[in-house]
């Protein structure tokens, strides 16, 4: 029936969007687990507030990026069987695209901290909207810069729409879960 066909299509879009964004979703969570050590801004202030703050560290950024790239390589090995199982055409990630998604996600989050400090928000403060989408903007922005052909092929307007709706939901669920588990200091 048309309704079942439409349901299939939406399921395929969600699976594709989730798969394509996994290398961007995981880095920030890995950084929470790996964080600590020297802050990127070295403690420097600018216009009366920290440049980035103690929550953005070299170690968290490096480990987060590495985990995202390794995850993308693992997904490459699974793309064929997963595509067959789901009846979808799941993308693979060349190294530049994998790096762009992972490092871009970390950069988006770092950029958000810069904006939080400029707007008087202390480390850990919430910035609704920005918190849920900063890493998406960073990841997709860098992916388009690094490999526009790949990015345009994977992130079609429909996949993009699913990403923009799905990501905030996943972000809230993930962070509330991490907070409940005692892994994260704030539930956002
Ligand atoms: N983290 C890190 N390096 C990053 C990102 C995150 O070390 N590039 C770690 C830090 O320990 C940080 C924690 O992950 O405290 C949670 O990340 P996040 O919520 O993004 O940082 P906040 O501490 O809330 O700081 P901010 O207000 O600047 O977002
Ligand atoms: K954040
Ligand atoms: Mg935070």
């Amino acid at each position: 029936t048309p309704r079942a066909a439409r349901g299939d299509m939406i399921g395929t879009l969600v699976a594709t969007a989730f798969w394509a964004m996994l290398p961007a979703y995981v880095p920030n969570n890995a950084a929470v687990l790996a964080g600590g050590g020297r802050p990127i801004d070295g403690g420097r202030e600018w216009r009366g507030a920290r440049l980035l703050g103690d929550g953005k560290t070299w170690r968290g950024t490096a480990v987060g990026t590495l985990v995202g790239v390794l995850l993308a390589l693992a997904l490459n090995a699974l793309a064929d069987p997963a595509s067959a199982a789901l009846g979808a055409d799941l993308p693979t990630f060349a190294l530049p695209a994998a790096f762009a998604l992972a490092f871009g996600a970390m950069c988006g989050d770092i950029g958000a901290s810069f904006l939080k400090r400029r707007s008087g928000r202390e480390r850990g403060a919430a910035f609704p909207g920005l918190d849920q989408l900063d890493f998406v903007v960073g990841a997709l922005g860098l992916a388009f810069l690094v490999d526009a052909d790949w990015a345009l092929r994977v992130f079609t307007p429909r996949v993009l729409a699913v990403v923009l709706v799905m990501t905030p939901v996943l972000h809230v669920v993930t962070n509330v879960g991490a907070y409940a588990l005692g892994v994260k200091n704030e539930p956002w």
Side-chain angles (χ1 to χ4, degrees):
T1 67
R3 181 185 285 183
R6 190 156 67 229
D8 278 359
M9 193 193 76
I10 291 172
T12 303
L13 279 176
V14 170
T16 304
F18 183 70
W19 176 278
M21 286 302 288
L22 262 179
Y25 287 157
V26 171
N28 290 290
N29 297 297
V32 174
L33 299 176
R38 281 168 40 112
I40 294 171
D41 68 8
R44 275 187 287 276
E45 298 199 349
W46 189 52
R47 298 186 176 209
R50 284 285 293 276
L51 199 56
L52 301 173
D54 284 332
K56 306 296 118 153
T57 69
W58 291 108
R59 193 167 79 206
T61 307
V63 173
T65 302
L66 186 66
V67 169
V69 169
L70 292 178
L71 177 71
L73 300 182
L75 293 178
N76 285 345
L78 297 172
D80 281 343
S83 293
L86 295 171
D89 187 15
L90 300 171
T92 54
F93 307 89
L95 200 53
F99 178 80
L101 288 175
F103 185 61
M106 300 300 323
C107 289
D109 174 62
I110 289 168
S113 289
F114 178 80
L115 294 179
K116 287 185 189 180
R117 300 303 92 84
R118 305 286 72 75
S119 58
R121 291 173 171 81
E122 298 293 334
R123 174 191 180 177
F127 197 148
L130 192 65
D131 280 328
Q132 286 73 35
L133 287 170
D134 52 18
F135 58 103
V136 175
V137 173
L140 294 183
L142 199 54
F144 273 89
L145 278 180
V146 162
D147 191 344
D149 286 345
W150 177 85
L152 286 169
R153 190 155 24 85
V154 173
F155 295 101
T156 60
R158 282 189 294 193
V159 170
L160 211 49
V162 172
V163 167
L164 292 179
V165 173
M166 178 176 69
T167 304
V169 176
L170 285 174
H171 188 270
V172 169
V173 170
T174 308
N175 284 287
V176 168
Y179 176 73
L181 289 172
V183 176
K184 210 169 184 297
N185 292 329
E186 302 91 12
W188 45 77

